[in-house]
Amino acid sequence: MPAALSAIEYRIRPLDPGAHLFEVSCTVPEPDPAGQVFRLPAWIPGSYMIRDFARNIVTLRAEAGGEACGLEKLDKHSWRAQALPAGGALTLTYQVYAWDLSVRAAHLDTTHGFFNGTSVFLAVEGQTGRPCLVDIERPEHAACRDWKLITALPRARGERGAARAYGFGRYRAADYDELIDHPVEMGNFTLASFEAGGVPHDIALTGRHDCDTARLMADLKRVCEWQQALFGAPAPMDYYAFLAFVVGDGYGGLEHRASTALMASRKDLPWPGMEGVPEGYKSFLGLCSHEYFHTWNVKRIKPAAFTPYDLSVENHTRLLWAFEGFTSYYDDLALVRSGVISTEDYLGLLGKTIANVLRGAGRLKQSVAESSFDAWTKYYRQDENAPNAIVSYYGKGALVALALDLQLRAGSEGKCSLDDLMRLLWQRHGLGGTGVAEDGIFEAVREVGGARLGAKLARWLRNAVEGTDDLPLARLLKSCGVDYRAEPGSKAPTLGVKLAGGNGGAKLATVYDGGPAQAAGLSAGDVLVAVDGLKASAKDLDEMLGRRRAGEEVEVHAFRRDELMRFDVTLGEAPADKIVLSPARRATTAAAHLRKAWLGG
Ligand code: ZN
């Protein structure tokens, strides 16, 4: 039996919370004698944008055998350290500036610390398959004396206390890939623990809040158990943690193999005595559900392009519509199927998803396959023209999933659904461990749908994701007992703009292609200050225009840069941009049956 590889040893401690600095060291027992290269990821899996985390490394030194050794910077995120000619361990010590309040990087102050391994742990080139040990040390600062720690990273063997003691100390990972897939939160978070499907789950809430954790746990338990049942026992993790940072106004999440990092608005959390399921809470539950679904879809069922990840450059795949889009379809669907929200609530959420996709003309120019491929430079780097130029692989991807699900259900008379497709992908790629080829989803649809339906839907799916036609949702929803109605969301005629809001004038965030404002010469960034000689603001613009009719001309004054300009705008018909879905009153028995199988209730 070959000797076990010696572990790469990391140590991380909050050096100075006031200065937002972590100190990290990495000891390599057997460095490359020709010079050991270290590299920090340029991006974090799940967030498809080059972020160059190494720019936050402030100081860096290398030593071996008690002596400083040479260190050469190779490129924006790589260094080479000289090893001792006689061999022996090499240690790199560096400081990382951590003041990025997002789920993607690292954040440290006297109230809490948070980091993703991608921001703080340098990879040891050529040795990323070795096991890793990490000592996470308590900060010495007086304000941090009572801090606890939570992560899904397993405790090192022989560590004192239970498997999960919420304490500082030594943790382990089987390799570098695992090391960077378990974010760590430290501070005085609220901890709520529950079991779902026999698996212990934790929710850690950092930041001020008045959350009714009992309600949150009860709802999340149902959602988690529904998802576990969808894919089949046993769940692929033996522990799961929701790490939520609670702020006044924020939203975001990033998936990991046994945890998720979330950013949540305080007002979106349930409070003691809350009745029903308010919109904000639906949105927070949807976010939790989304990231949890990724435990299967993208963390384990992965595009072949991500197996393995190359964290130094963009990794292109045309499949994000399946990994983000299908996950976006199931996030809200899991809420209704698990009984956490009603059918009416669900149809309300679905109507909003449809309306969001239909609002931008970009959907007629870019396919979801193209949107996936270009995520790095387009979806993640949206500018004022984005709604006119691109489509979201989240939103339209969710609608593709919906359309596929409805067709599988109706076409098989209820014998088959998207759930079967997800299970097939799970069996083959999740448990099997092979990546999904770029045409792998089409193949899986062909298989799951059977000879005739499968072949037909595989062709349909390819056209849907590679083309830009709107999906026939009204017809498909009707076949499953749901009525679809499009109506104007506003009574006022339209300028064809999206406002950025703010005080003072109404700043135009986007000028929609083919709309009245664009025809009159207004541009994104213009600050609209008056309509027909009367002061206008973002707040009262709709009311002012509500007294006019489509076809009428209004005089608009706006600043472009510091120059006041005048425009004559012919108001347009209010677009039918609100989608109202409701259970069909006169559904056929077959359609009503399909709806019940689809949404429960
Ligand atoms: Zn996602």
Side-chain angles (χ1 to χ4, degrees), residues 255 290-291 294 323-324 327 394:
E255 67 276 11
H290 181 98
E291 306 306 345
H294 274 316
F323 292 94
E324 288 301 346
T327 301
Y394 286 86

Side-chain angles (χ1 to χ4, degrees), residues 408-417 593-594 597:
L408 281 166
R409 288 172 185 279
S412 68
E413 290 168 349
K415 288 187 203 64
C416 167
S417 74
H593 198 77
L594 288 174

Side-chain angles (χ1 to χ4, degrees), residues 566-584:
R566 186 187 159 281
F567 305 86
D568 292 322
V569 187
T570 305
L571 295 174
E573 203 74 58
D577 57 1
K578 185 177 171 196
I579 306 300
V580 182
L581 305 180
S582 52

Side-chain angles (χ1 to χ4, degrees), residues 150-152 164 166 199-202 237-241 257-259:
I150 184 167
T151 177
R164 213 146 292 284
Y166 310 105
V199 177
H201 285 58
D202 280 333
M237 64 296 194
D238 56 15
Y239 167 76
Y240 191 89
R257 67 183 67 184
S259 59

